[in-house]
């Protein structure tokens, strides 16, 4: 019988701490933070875990050579079980998104799920892989903004009359800069992850370092100590890991940089959330980063 610990390793459970911040930063940017947001974040986690299980199922033959300790090649999880877990988590994620956000959330969650599976089954080992994975994270941010505010942020006033409903896609438009920022970060992590086994050419960490600097600058927004501090922390930790790859582009250094990119993402998400005005929530999102680093010592996020 498959153990729960083996399933947790299959889906890289601790890495999911980097996921709710996508939805929260999108909702904060769109002005849609409300009681629906936690459920949308839960749907995002389910879809993320589904992608991880599908990834290991798709890579089972390659992992038998390169990573025989993974749950499927080691025999601890059967391939059919992994595929069933991936399908079940996908269905659960779509159901939760639909229940929480209705048709608008479903209209984002379905393309998100399709892009996740498309990456795992088709795009991962192609030149389009990093861009497709970046699209997954970008759509995840937009999931938080998908429900959209039905009315303006200001309360109705007697001299104005009722506030008119905003266009259905207005929240998505407001969240688009945050989605692009998270997508750009994801591109850097995915590009590095493709060299976890072989090691990297030094041109790669140069490019991803430049991307990280641009991402951090984009997350700052107007001068505000909270997003500034969080963006600086993100850039400092993840940038330092990439600088070590630049000095020594060995597989171990690349894997460490990928791990830093995954576990450091909450700091970036926190900066984006705080930039939108939700400073306390941004700090709470960023707090997942140190917890993720501790848990990564138990179950690798890469």
């Amino acid at each position: 019988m498959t153990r729960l610990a083996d399933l947790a390793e299959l889906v890289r459970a601790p890495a999911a701490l980097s996921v709710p911040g996508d939805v929260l930063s999108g909702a904060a940017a769109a002005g849609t933070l409300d009681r629906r947001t936690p459920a949308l974040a839960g749907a995002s986690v389910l879809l993320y875990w589904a992608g991880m299980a599908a990834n290991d199922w798709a890579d089972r033959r390659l992992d038998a050579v390169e990573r025989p300790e993974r749950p499927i090649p080691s025999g601890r999880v059967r391939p059919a079980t992994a595929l069933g877990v991936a399908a079940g988590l996908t269905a659960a994620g779509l159901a939760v998104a639909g229940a929480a956000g209705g048709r608008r959330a479903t209209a984002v969650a379905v393309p998100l799920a399709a892009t996740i599976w498309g990456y795992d089954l088709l795009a991962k080992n192609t030149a389009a892989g990093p861009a497709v994975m970046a699209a997954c994270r970008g759509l995840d941010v937009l999931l938080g903004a998908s429900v959209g505010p039905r009315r303006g942020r200001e309360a109705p006033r007697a001299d104005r009359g009722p506030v008119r409903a905003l266009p259905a896609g207005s929240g998505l438009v407001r969240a688009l800069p945050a989605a692009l920022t998270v997508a750009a970060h994801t591109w850097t992590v995915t590009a590095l992850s493709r060299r976890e086994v072989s090691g990297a050419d030094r041109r790669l960490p140069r490019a991803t370092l430049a991307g990280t600097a641009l991402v951090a600058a984009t997350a700052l927004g107007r001068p505000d100590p909270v997003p500034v501090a969080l963006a600086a922390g993100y850039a400092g930790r993840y940038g330092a890991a990439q600088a070590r790859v630049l000095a020594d582009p060995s597989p171990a250094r690349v894997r460490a940089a990928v791990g830093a990119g995954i576990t450091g993402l909450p700091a970036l998400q926190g900066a984006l959330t705080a930039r939108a005005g939700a400073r306390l929530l941004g700090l709470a999102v960023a707090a997942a980063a140190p917890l993720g680093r501790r848990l990564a010592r138990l179950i690798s996020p890469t």
Side-chain angles (χ1 to χ4, degrees):
M1 182 177 294
T2 304
R3 300 182 307 159
L4 184 59
D6 296 327
L7 292 177
E9 185 178 351
L10 175 73
V11 301
R12 297 167 176 84
L17 287 170
S18 72
V19 177
D22 286 343
V23 169
L24 293 173
S25 62
T32 61
L33 283 167
D34 61 19
R35 58 183 176 81
R36 300 168 292 183
T37 306
L40 291 175
S44 174
V45 169
L46 292 171
L47 292 174
Y48 181 87
W49 280 339
M52 289 296 184
N55 174 78
D56 269 28
W57 178 82
D59 277 358
R60 62 193 184 280
R61 294 183 179 87
L62 179 63
D63 283 347
V65 177
E66 295 184 346
R67 301 182 183 188
E69 75 281 358
R70 290 294 300 162
I72 294 177
S74 67
R76 290 176 288 132
V77 174
R78 293 170 53 237
T81 300
L83 185 60
V85 167
L89 288 171
T90 300
L94 293 175
V96 171
R103 287 180 295 178
R104 291 183 183 180
T106 300
V108 177
V110 170
L112 170 58
T115 306
I116 290 171
W117 279 85
Y119 173 81
D120 286 333
L121 300 183
L122 299 173
K124 178 170 51 181
N125 296 319
T126 71
V132 175
M133 179 55 76
C136 291
R137 282 288 189 169
L139 286 168
D140 204 29
V141 174
L142 294 180
L143 180 62
S146 60
V147 289
R150 294 182 180 177
R151 293 186 178 275
R153 295 186 183 185
E154 295 180 351
R157 281 172 38 179
D159 60 341
R160 293 182 183 173
V163 177
R164 291 182 301 172
L166 292 172
S170 61
L172 296 176
V173 172
R174 288 196 297 273
L176 189 56
L180 291 174
T181 299
V182 172
H185 163 81
T186 304
W187 182 90
T188 68
V189 177
T190 309
L192 285 168
S193 72
R194 292 156 71 91
R195 297 293 180 265
E196 286 183 314
V197 174
S198 62
D201 184 291
R202 283 186 170 85
R203 288 175 295 181
L204 177 60
R206 287 194 191 101
T208 60
L209 261 173
T212 297
L214 180 60
V215 164
T218 303
L220 296 178
R222 65 183 186 276
D224 185 306
V226 175
V228 167
L230 294 177
Y234 153 78
R237 181 172 289 275
Y238 183 35
Q242 293 171 84
R244 287 191 285 272
V245 176
L246 190 57
D248 174 16
S250 63
R253 288 285 177 88
V254 174
R255 284 193 294 272
V258 172
I262 294 172
T263 59
L265 178 55
L268 174 62
Q269 296 161 335
L272 293 170
T273 304
R275 185 185 70 178
R279 294 177 181 83
L280 291 179
L281 180 59
L283 290 170
V285 169
L291 178 58
R293 286 193 291 271
R294 290 191 181 94
L295 292 177
R297 298 169 187 167
L298 302 176
I299 298 178
S300 173
T302 67

